[in-house]
């Protein structure tokens, strides 16, 4: 049941996008999202789509993997689309039936929102598809470091993410083991309605939680035995380094972003 | 140069204030630098507690422990003590922190604030010593129990510890994993590391230089494996077994075969029988 679960959705191939510094990718993704909300014409969206397409092609990630990210939020996009159509007031009424009014402005607004959300998800999927969870964690820690002074626990967040990633497979394995053990004693995890099925999970969750806490206790002791004392004065073996490719990517991205601003001013 | 890397002086310890039973009850023990010591005893004999006391995870209720001359109750020396006497625990899953083998080994030196290039060197050296270099990019959950335990040992090596304390490192491993870990420990002992191995398995204890038997929080027997395991009756009294070979030799002696009573190695018995 958990065999096919991969952590995150990293698609490990070698490509110019994969080898970019994670910090560069994270910042570019954020800037890309901002750019999506600056745009106010469909023609400019064509330009954004072309840019994203180039990024996806050079990442060597199959297109369907990028689209896969859309599946869970398909309904959100659909609902946003419908609400925007119905709720935006406009001058030209295209269609009217009782209280339902569809205006030209409504259609336009709904189209924008659906496009924005779709492109936003595809852009962020590209980030997680091309960056391993470890590098992503490193990148986030590094980017948050300057904010330590105002109380952002950068190291602690990164440590939590690392430990979570480390223990997901271990706990999965354990869940499977407990499930088998409880099934052999007659527990039923598959039949009944939703409420019954949720209730039946109790004999699975209780032992799982107890063991997770015991693991946490032991891990804390092992970490202390290895001289762990928080983020102060800690060094890292792997240092993030900007390379030629990163500067090229930044250069391309700056041009992309500048063009969008130019199109807005016009 | 201090000859005894670990000095335990009449240490008592109990877990709760109200407990009237001491988990460790007046233990005195000196461990020489470079020695391979095995501590055996059945469950609740206080051997794991003793290990945690040496690593300063627990502090003695009474008495003193010195690691390389440093008092374990001295807070300012805490990190030096943990660096000198590294500790490996029983469950291999619950002591690996990172998602990649080499990152995990780097965890200790990273905590010490070692330079990145120096960490790299230490990690590579530690991986080579435990023979896991080709696995450096693997996630730990895909390794076998024996391999995980070797990674945990490498993590302590990267701290540059002089002494490695292992709290039943083989208890959760299969037989081939146990052999892997024992081979690694013997190799480390050869390059000068002091090893304190807490174990359940007599076949592991006979491979040490010195065997300490604990029972009810106290040391009952202490000596070379031969001295300790020839005390067949005493060993049985503390609820422990002797190595299988010794058991076999004893039966043979009873049946009238002419053998010395202190046989503890398989090879020894084979040689004697095949003369």
């Amino acid at each position: 049941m958990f065999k096919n679960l991969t952590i995150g959705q990293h698609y490990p191939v070698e490509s110019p996008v994969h080898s970019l510094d994670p910090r560069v990718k994270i910042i570019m993704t954020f800037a890309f999202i901002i750019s999506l909300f600056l745009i106010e014409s469909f023609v400019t969206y064509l330009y954004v789509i072309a840019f994203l397409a180039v990024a996806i092609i050079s990442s060597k990630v199959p297109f369907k993997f990028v689209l896969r990210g859309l599946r869970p939020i398909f309904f959100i996009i659909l609902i946003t689309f419908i609400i925007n159509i119905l709720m935006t007031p406009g001058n030209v009424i295209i269609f009217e039936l009782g209280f339902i009014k569809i205006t030209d402005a409504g259609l336009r607004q709904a189209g924008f929102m659906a496009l924005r959300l779709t492109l936003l998800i595809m852009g962020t999927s590209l980030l997680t598809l091309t960056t391993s969870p470890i590098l992503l964690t490193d990148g986030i820690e590094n980017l948050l470091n300057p904010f330590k002074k105002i109380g952002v626990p950068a190291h602690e967040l990164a440590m939590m993410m690392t430990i979570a990633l480390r223990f997901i497979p271990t706990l999965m394995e354990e869940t499977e083991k407990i499930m088998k053990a409880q099934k052999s004693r007659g527990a039923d995890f598959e039949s009944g309605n939703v409420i019954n099925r949720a209730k039946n999970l109790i004999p699975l969750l209780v032992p799982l939680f107890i063991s997770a806490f015991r693991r946490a206790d032991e891990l804390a002791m092992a970490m202390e035995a290895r001289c762990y004392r928080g983020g102060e004065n800690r060094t890292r073996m792997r240092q993030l380094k900007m390379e030629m490719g990163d500067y090229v990517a930044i250069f391309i991205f700056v041009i992309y972003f500048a063009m969008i601003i130019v199109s807005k001013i016009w | 140069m201090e000859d005894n890397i670990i000095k335990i002086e009449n240490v008592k310890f109990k877990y709760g204030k109200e407990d009237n039973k001491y988990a460790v009850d007046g233990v005195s023990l000196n461990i020489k630098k470079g020695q391979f010591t095995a501590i055996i005893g059945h469950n609740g004999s206080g051997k794991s507690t003793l290990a945690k006391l040496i690593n300063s995870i627990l502090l003695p209720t009474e008495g003193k422990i010195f690691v390389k001359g440093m008092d374990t109750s001295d807070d300012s020396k805490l990190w030096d003590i943990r660096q000198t006497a590294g500790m490996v625990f029983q469950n291999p899953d619950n002591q690996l922190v990172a998602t990649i083998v080499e990152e995990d080994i780097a965890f200790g030196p990273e905590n010490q604030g070692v330079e990145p290039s120096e960490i790299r060197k230490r990690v590579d050296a530690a991986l080579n010593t435990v023979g896991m270099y080709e696995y450096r990019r693997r996630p730990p959950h895909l390794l076998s129990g024996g391999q995980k335990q070797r990674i945990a040992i490498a993590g302590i090596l990267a701290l540059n510890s002089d002494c490695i304390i292992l709290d039943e490192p083989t208890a959760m491993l299969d037989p081939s994993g146990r052999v892997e870990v024992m081979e690694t420990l013997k190799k480390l002992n050869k390059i000068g590391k002091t090893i304190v191995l807490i174990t359940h398995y007599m076949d592991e204890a006979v491979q040490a230089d010195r065997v300490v038997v604990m029972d009810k929080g106290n040391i009952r027997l202490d000596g070379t494996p031969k001295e300790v395991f020839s005390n067949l009756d005493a060993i049985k009294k503390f609820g422990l077994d002797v190595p299988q070979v010794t058991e076999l030799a004893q039966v043979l002696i009873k049946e009238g075969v002419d053998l010395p009573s202190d046989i503890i190695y398989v090879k020894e018995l084979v040689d004697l029988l095949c003369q």
Side-chain angles (χ1 to χ4, degrees):
Chain A
M1 137 172 223
F2 301 114
K3 287 271 150 51
N4 307 320
L5 193 124
T6 48
I7 305 160
Q9 40 174 351
H10 183 224
Y11 187 83
V13 286
E14 299 231 334
S15 84
V17 180
H18 280 78
S19 58
L20 288 181
D21 189 303
R23 290 170 298 182
V24 173
K25 275 191 275 190
I26 293 169
I27 291 175
M28 286 203 302
T29 309
F30 272 102
F32 177 75
I33 294 170
I34 293 168
S35 78
L36 288 177
F37 286 89
L38 290 175
I39 300 170
E40 276 157 3
S41 86
F42 281 108
V43 183
T44 329
Y45 273 116
L46 285 180
Y47 167 64
V48 176
I49 290 167
F51 174 78
L52 190 63
V54 171
I56 291 171
I57 291 163
S58 53
S59 75
K60 292 184 189 160
V61 176
F63 192 61
K64 62 171 191 206
F65 275 84
V66 185
L67 284 183
R68 202 174 276 176
L70 288 173
R71 213 185 291 156
I73 64 137
F74 177 74
F75 274 102
I76 297 176
I77 296 178
L78 197 72
I79 290 166
T80 323
F81 186 78
I82 293 168
I83 289 176
N84 269 296
I85 281 187
L86 298 180
M87 296 301 182
T88 321
N91 305 322
V92 187
I93 292 164
I94 297 169
F95 178 80
E96 194 169 0
L97 185 85
F99 64 94
I100 298 172
K101 254 189 243 167
I102 295 175
T103 64
D104 63 334
L107 261 182
R108 207 179 133 79
Q109 184 67 19
F112 274 159
M113 279 322 280
L115 253 179
R116 273 175 195 160
L117 282 177
T118 312
L119 290 172
L120 185 150
I121 298 299
M122 286 170 73
T124 42
S125 304
L126 194 63
L127 171 70
T128 49
L129 280 166
T130 58
T131 320
S132 75
I134 307 161
L135 281 174
L136 209 54
T137 313
D138 271 16
I140 292 170
E141 180 175 12
N142 225 292
L143 287 173
L144 286 178
N145 258 341
F147 301 107
K148 259 187 190 163
K149 284 200 190 84
I150 56 162
V152 177
H155 164 73
E156 285 76 4
L157 283 173
M159 197 72 217
M160 272 159 57
M161 277 171 70
T162 310
I163 292 175
L165 286 170
R166 155 75 186 81
F167 278 91
I168 285 170
T170 311
L171 290 178
M172 285 289 179
E173 220 171 86
E174 181 140 37
T175 311
E176 217 165 345
K177 235 186 254 172
I178 297 171
M179 239 175 166
K180 278 181 190 153
Q182 301 291 43
K183 267 187 191 163
S184 73
R185 294 168 195 172
D188 180 8
F189 296 113
E190 269 132 32
S191 60
N193 59 23
V194 182
I195 296 166
N196 264 331
R197 272 199 347 227
K199 266 189 195 158
N200 288 345
L201 280 181
I202 292 172
L204 174 69
L205 291 178
V206 171
L208 190 64
F209 267 87
I210 291 173
S211 118
F213 279 113
R214 190 167 42 229
R215 280 181 197 281
D217 205 31
E218 277 182 33
L219 183 71
M221 194 158 65
M223 281 168 76
E224 270 190 46
R226 280 163 80 185
C227 302
Y228 181 70
R229 57 200 118 162
E232 295 286 310
N233 302 323
R234 209 169 175 265
T235 48
R236 297 305 306 271
M237 175 171 74
R238 187 164 10 80
Q239 300 288 312
L240 296 173
K241 247 199 346 246
M242 299 272 282
E243 273 159 27
M244 199 54 212
D246 296 306
Y247 294 110
V248 173
I250 292 170
F251 181 70
I252 296 171
F253 193 81
V254 167
I255 292 176
Y256 157 82
F257 206 83
M259 292 282 275
I260 285 185
I261 290 174
V262 168
S263 80
K264 203 172 150 61
I265 293 167
W266 260 342
Chain B
M1 183 92 201
E2 184 89 35
D3 201 25
N4 289 323
I5 190 158
I6 296 170
K7 275 203 289 194
I8 301 174
E9 290 173 358
N10 202 25
V11 161
K12 290 186 177 186
F13 178 83
K14 52 183 175 184
Y15 279 94
K17 273 212 176 77
E18 274 89 55
D19 282 9
N20 44 16
K21 215 180 115 239
Y22 284 94
V24 170
D25 194 2
V27 167
S28 294
L29 183 69
N30 288 330
I31 289 171
K32 281 202 184 74
K33 208 172 167 6
Q35 200 173 41
F36 190 149
T37 309
I39 300 181
I40 57 176
H42 66 80
N43 291 336
S45 59
K47 55 194 195 318
S48 288
T49 309
L50 191 65
K52 285 175 193 154
L53 284 165
I54 299 171
N55 196 256
S56 195
I57 292 172
L58 301 173
L59 294 176
T61 317
E62 279 172 48
K64 290 266 178 216
I65 299 179
F66 295 95
V67 174
K68 223 179 174 181
M70 296 176 285
D71 186 344
T72 58
S73 57
D74 181 353
D75 241 7
S76 63
K77 294 274 171 32
L78 181 63
W79 305 111
D80 292 325
I81 289 166
R82 290 201 176 147
Q83 193 241 310
T84 310
M87 183 139 174
V88 175
F89 295 87
Q90 185 183 78
N91 190 330
D93 271 324
N94 295 354
Q95 53 184 324
L96 302 179
V97 187
T99 41
I100 295 283
V101 164
E102 59 176 14
E103 292 275 305
D104 187 80
I105 297 169
F107 180 74
E110 281 177 347
N111 289 336
Q112 291 176 310
V114 177
E115 283 297 305
S117 57
E118 167 71 13
I119 298 180
R120 184 77 252 174
K121 268 186 232 154
R122 284 199 199 175
V123 168
D124 288 345
L127 276 166
N128 278 321
T129 311
V130 299
M132 290 291 290
Y133 189 73
E134 52 286 28
Y135 294 93
R136 66 192 182 282
R137 298 227 170 263
R138 298 272 185 91
H141 69 96
L142 295 182
L143 301 177
S144 73
Q147 289 173 326
K148 280 184 213 167
Q149 240 9 338
R150 274 150 70 196
I151 296 302
I153 294 170
I156 298 303
L157 282 178
L159 278 170
N160 275 350
S161 301
D162 295 326
C163 174
I164 303 176
I165 303 160
L166 302 102
D167 186 2
E168 299 193 34
T170 55
M172 299 180 80
L173 305 184
D174 56 13
S176 66
R178 292 213 289 272
V179 173
E180 271 175 50
V181 170
M182 278 312 289
E183 291 305 316
T184 310
L185 291 182
K186 278 194 269 181
K187 197 170 152 193
L188 295 181
N189 186 235
K190 262 194 204 120
I191 59 171
K193 302 278 179 195
T194 311
I195 311 270
V196 179
L197 172 68
I198 291 164
T199 183
H200 257 336
Y201 297 102
M202 302 309 135
D203 296 312
E204 287 170 9
V206 294
Q207 299 176 47
D209 301 328
R210 175 183 180 191
V211 176
V212 174
V213 179
M214 283 188 73
D215 185 57
K216 297 199 180 93
N218 241 312
I219 292 176
R220 304 292 169 166
L221 295 169
D222 183 356
T224 62
K226 270 201 186 291
E227 285 163 9
V228 168
F229 288 115
S230 55
N231 265 316
L232 199 67
D233 297 333
I235 292 274
K236 295 250 149 136
K237 201 179 84 198
F238 301 129
L240 297 170
D241 287 321
V242 291
Q244 279 180 341
V245 199
T246 315
E247 190 109 53
L248 177 64
Q250 297 292 340
V251 175
L252 288 174
I253 291 167
K254 265 190 203 139
E255 294 296 319
V257 183
D258 183 25
L259 287 172
S261 64
D262 61 350
I263 291 171
I264 56 168
Y265 304 108
V266 178
K267 194 174 176 302
E268 212 181 356
L269 182 64
V270 172
D271 287 350
L272 281 167
L273 288 176
C274 297
Q275 265 172 10

